[in-house]
């Protein structure tokens, strides 16, 4: 039994791989570049591109973890129907789909298929806070817009644990889970939590949306910037409403942002482990 993990080098996918290994599974990790993948020993690393389904090696695979967008511009994947057909032909049984904020063509194809599918809808990842690590280290400051906005941030390790449990244990077919942490926090509350974890006071400076936009455009495509700012400015209730889905699947509470901040303190102190 082999489980193929797409996005295996990403924030969430690395955790899916880690949790599958912990459950004793054979893991086939997909990347576009094996040379830079830095995946753990014991993982079968394969090169492939989700935009070209014929490159995805599904032989002997019984479970697949999929993304709904791809590429550095996070464009919606249009290859869902072909990926699903190939998975069905290869004898894949279970599929998890990591949602990215909208009902995508890939999700449509998977949920209409004969596969035992489960859609995972995480709200903001806790790891998004790593973008503050550099300014915290250099200046002791976090600059972000929308001080009022609260998010039910989810620990990416919990995303991995839920995906692994669903793929290995089964019993979750035809379900969509909204994955959150145990509480909704504003940015100033997140900043204070990181400060407590590293034993330093961090100043929170509320940016205007225009300032944030200009800064983000230096490293991200305009569509991605607009999507992120739109989500934060007018966050739908789903983004700040705490659910029990993580706890129900894992039979333990969802991990807190305080725990995440202690685990990642090195990133904010010395730059260690920013991925
Ligand atoms: N961050 C959030 O708050 C948040 C919230 C909800 C949902 N999401 C969604 O969750 C998903 C995972 O996020 P993340 O932060 O873990 O991602 P990430 O760290 O940005 O990594 C992206 C991953 O996608 C892979 N990838 C990109 N294009 C690909 C392609 N054409 N074919 C195969 N693999 C490809 C990359 O693999 P290689 O570079 O190794 O090929 C990498 O592993 C994304 O779809 C994101 O939209 C994120």
């Amino acid at each position: 039994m082999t489980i193929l993990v797409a996005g295996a080098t990403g924030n969430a996918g690395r955790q899916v791989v880690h949790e599958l290994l912990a459950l004793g599974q054979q893991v086939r990790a997909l990347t576009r570049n094996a040379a830079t993948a830095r995946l753990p020993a014991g993982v079968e690393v394969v090169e492939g591109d989700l935009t070209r389904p014929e490159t995805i090696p599904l032989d002997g695979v019984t479970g697949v973890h999929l993304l709904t967008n791809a590429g550095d511009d996070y464009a919606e994947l249009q290859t869902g129907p072909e990926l699903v057909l190939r998975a069905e032909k290869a004898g894949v049984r279970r599929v998890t789909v990591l949602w990215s904020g909208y009902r995508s063509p890939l999700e449509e194809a998977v949920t209409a298929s004969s596969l035992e599918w489960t859609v995972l809808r995480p709200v903001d990842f806790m790891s998004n806070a790593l973008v503050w690590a550099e300014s915290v280290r250099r200046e002791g400051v976090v600059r972000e817009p929308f001080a009022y906005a609260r998010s039910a941030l989810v620990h990416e390790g919990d995303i991995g644990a839920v995906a692994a449990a669903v793929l290995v244990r089964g019993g979750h077919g035809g379900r969509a889970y909204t994955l959150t942490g145990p509480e909704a926090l504003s940015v100033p509350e997140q900043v204070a939590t990181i400060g407590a974890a590293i034993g330093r006071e961090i100043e929170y400076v509320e940016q205007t949306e225009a300032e944030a936009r200009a800064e983000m455009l230096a490293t991200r495509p305009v569509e991605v910037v607009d999507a992120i700012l739109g989500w934060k400015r007018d966050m739908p209730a789903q983004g700040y409403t705490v659910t029990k889905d993580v706890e129900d699947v894992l039979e333990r509470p969802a991990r807190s942002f305080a725990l995440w901040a202690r685990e990642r303190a090195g990133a904010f102190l010395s730059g260690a482990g920013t991925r």
Side-chain angles (χ1 to χ4, degrees):
M1 294 225 325
T2 296
I3 296 181
L4 182 128
V5 180
T9 60
N11 295 301
R14 284 193 186 279
Q15 300 294 328
V16 180
V17 169
H18 173 79
E19 297 290 340
L20 286 170
L21 290 176
L23 292 177
Q25 301 300 301
Q26 307 271 2
V27 179
R28 186 174 293 171
L30 186 76
T31 176
R32 289 162 301 168
N33 185 353
T36 57
R38 295 186 300 107
L39 285 155
V43 170
E44 180 193 358
V45 181
V46 291
E47 288 192 349
D49 189 323
L50 290 167
T51 64
R52 291 185 294 123
E54 72 280 6
T55 66
I56 310 299
L58 289 168
D59 51 295
V61 168
T62 53
V64 176
H65 176 73
L66 282 175
L67 306 173
T68 61
N69 53 20
D72 298 330
D73 56 356
Y74 292 87
E76 236 177 43
L77 267 173
Q78 302 298 331
T79 48
E82 197 181 336
L83 283 165
V84 164
L85 267 182
R86 285 176 174 270
E88 286 172 330
K89 274 197 192 147
V92 171
R93 185 167 163 213
R94 295 188 186 127
V95 179
T96 48
V97 176
L98 193 60
W99 172 88
S100 53
Y102 48 83
R103 187 156 168 88
S104 65
L106 186 135
E107 183 179 327
E108 300 271 356
V110 172
T111 56
S113 76
S114 65
L115 300 165
E116 189 181 314
W117 56 263
T118 307
V119 177
L120 305 179
R121 297 186 179 139
V123 297
D124 293 335
F125 295 4
M126 292 182 182
S127 60
N128 294 347
L130 290 173
V131 297
W132 303 329
E134 193 175 334
S135 69
V136 168
R137 285 198 308 274
R138 289 182 183 211
E139 309 166 69
V141 169
V142 166
R143 296 182 187 84
E144 271 278 328
F146 316 126
Y148 61 86
R150 305 178 85 76
S151 169
L153 311 155
V154 61
H155 193 301
E156 48 283 0
D158 282 347
I159 303 171
V162 168
V166 164
L167 287 166
V168 174
R169 301 204 172 109
H172 302 276
R175 308 287 303 273
Y177 294 124
T178 298
L179 307 182
T180 76
E183 60 192 336
L185 296 174
S186 67
V187 173
E189 287 167 340
Q190 294 169 43
V191 172
T193 304
I194 295 168
I198 66 173
R200 289 187 190 168
E201 194 154 321
I202 304 171
E203 185 188 357
Y204 168 61
V205 176
E206 185 172 9
Q207 286 179 313
T208 64
E209 183 170 341
E211 285 167 345
R213 195 165 194 279
E215 203 173 272
M216 290 164 77
L217 282 172
T219 54
R220 297 174 170 109
V222 63
E223 303 77 26
V224 177
V225 171
D226 287 342
I228 294 174
L229 287 174
W231 168 266
K232 290 184 178 188
R233 184 196 320 111
D234 305 310
M235 190 176 288
Q238 187 176 12
Y240 55 80
T241 304
V242 171
T243 73
K244 298 262 288 168
D245 289 0
V246 167
E247 186 165 350
D248 288 347
V249 175
L250 300 179
E251 297 176 350
R252 59 144 175 91
R255 283 177 262 192
S256 68
F257 189 67
L259 173 68
W260 181 92
R262 289 196 296 277
E263 290 168 352
R264 297 303 190 101
F268 296 91
L269 289 167
S270 65
T274 44
R275 283 295 267 196

